[in-house]
Amino acid sequence: MSTLQIEIPPKLLPVFAGEARYRCSYGGRGSGKTRTFAKMAAVTGLIAAEDGRSGVILCAREFMNSLDDSSMAEVKAAILSEPWLSSNYEIGEKYIRTGPHLPGRVDFKFAGLTRNIDSLKSKAQILLCWVDEAEGVTETAWSKLTPTVREDGSEIWVTWNPESHRSATHKRFRESRPSGCKIAELNYRDNPWFPDVLDQERRDDERDRPDQYAHVWEGDFKTVYEGAYYAKSLLAAKLQGRITGLHTDPSMTLRTWHDLAGAG
């Protein structure tokens, strides 16, 4: 087996070190997590094929109407960015697979979980399933997907930008972390290759759209929405530590009043 060298964001080193059933990363825009997971998926496929194993690396998203909606472009770009990867893969318009010179064969497959989850249950030899943009994946989809990835040593990888603490993905992988799960938060400042063009967009958002900034760039939940009443005031209150929990007496009646003026 050949020796492979690859650079990834330092915060993801513990995620990819050693054995794990789940490898996960969440956070804001520009963190490099999607490109890193795409490249590591290609590395995993190559290692398996060099070891004489054959199977499938399944790249899933919540929605996928066509390959244009899939992670295929990310995987292709990741492979082509490393000469030692591109020399060991065959890449076509609609396929990615390890080269015929290797003792095993690994094919990349792409699927949407919202409409095709039941069809995935019949797939065999899934060595790895990577679910990207996983924030909106339902608990029903997770409960059907996880037992489908059942090969010995198989893994499930998950990447997402958080929106709500009520999401099934948040509850499953952050609130109630499963056994064998390695997870890291990754944001733009954790990406050693964060490009200048994105940094300018980040600064523009920080200046012009402060109500969206923490969610888009810092991986916070989406707590306010564009056009929402008092969005900037609520953001300022949060940054100043003026939003907190209240301890109430359960034996007492609790009343609240809200005055959100509309058009009338």
Side-chain angles (χ1 to χ4, degrees):
M1 182 180 295
S2 59
T3 299
L4 308 176
Q5 293 185 349
I6 187 171
E7 288 187 319
I8 65 174
K11 282 189 71 173
L12 288 181
L13 289 173
V15 173
F16 288 107
E19 296 182 355
R21 168 63 170 172
Y22 302 95
R23 304 185 196 271
C24 309
S25 182
Y26 63 93
R29 184 180 299 169
S31 65
K33 57 185 177 293
T34 296
R35 178 56 58 87
T36 300
F37 274 68
K39 186 175 292 188
M40 292 303 294
V43 171
T44 300
L46 175 55
I47 292 174
E50 285 187 329
D51 198 34
R53 288 180 290 155
S54 296
V56 170
I57 292 182
L58 176 64
C59 299
R61 285 182 171 176
E62 180 186 6
F63 298 106
M64 198 194 88
N65 295 317
S66 70
L67 286 175
D68 290 338
D69 303 322
S70 74
S71 304
M72 176 177 268
E74 285 287 352
V75 176
K76 286 182 177 180
I79 291 172
L80 294 174
S81 71
E82 300 282 356
W84 54 267
L85 278 176
S86 61
S87 64
N88 285 290
Y89 273 93
E90 294 183 326
I91 296 177
E93 183 180 355
K94 296 184 178 180
Y95 65 84
I96 301 172
R97 58 186 178 233
T98 53
H101 61 283
L102 298 169
R105 170 170 163 167
V106 174
D107 291 84
F108 277 79
K109 301 295 183 181
F110 303 87
L113 298 180
T114 297
R115 299 177 181 174
N116 301 317
I117 187 64
D118 288 321
S119 66
L120 296 180
K121 292 189 291 184
S122 62
K123 283 191 178 295
Q125 293 186 299
I126 300 177
L127 307 177
L128 164 65
C129 177
W130 168 36
V131 184
D132 189 29
E133 298 184 0
E135 167 68 14
V137 176
T138 66
E139 179 58 30
T140 298
W142 284 123
S143 65
K144 292 183 178 181
L145 175 66
T146 51
T148 300
V149 186
R150 56 184 178 267
E151 296 293 314
D152 288 342
S154 59
E155 299 185 7
I156 296 173
W157 298 359
V158 189
T159 50
W160 76 99
N161 292 47
E163 287 194 8
S164 171
H165 67 277
R166 298 184 179 90
S167 79
T169 299
H170 170 78
K171 291 180 178 295
R172 180 174 278 258
F173 296 105
R174 291 179 65 185
E175 277 191 2
S176 303
R177 189 178 304 179
S179 301
C181 179
K182 297 183 177 182
I183 187 170
E185 180 178 5
L186 204 71
N187 292 306
Y188 75 91
R189 63 174 59 84
D190 304 310
N191 181 2
W193 306 281
F194 184 61
D196 291 340
V197 64
L198 276 188
D199 193 43
Q200 186 58 58
E201 287 190 16
R202 181 190 68 81
R203 293 174 185 275
D204 290 345
D205 281 349
E206 188 175 28
R207 182 191 65 226
D208 302 330
R209 290 166 287 276
D211 52 335
Q212 301 293 319
Y213 179 82
H215 164 61
V216 173
W217 295 99
E218 300 287 357
D220 283 2
F221 295 124
K222 194 171 185 178
T223 55
V224 296
Y225 293 84
E226 186 176 355
Y229 292 118
Y230 307 135
K232 291 184 178 180
S233 298
L234 286 170
L235 178 64
K238 178 182 178 181
L239 294 175
Q240 294 165 12
R242 293 188 285 115
I243 297 178
T244 186
L246 292 177
H247 297 287
T248 60
D249 186 340
S251 66
M252 302 293 290
T253 300
L254 180 65
R255 296 185 176 90
T256 65
W257 286 264
H258 308 273
D259 181 16
L260 295 177

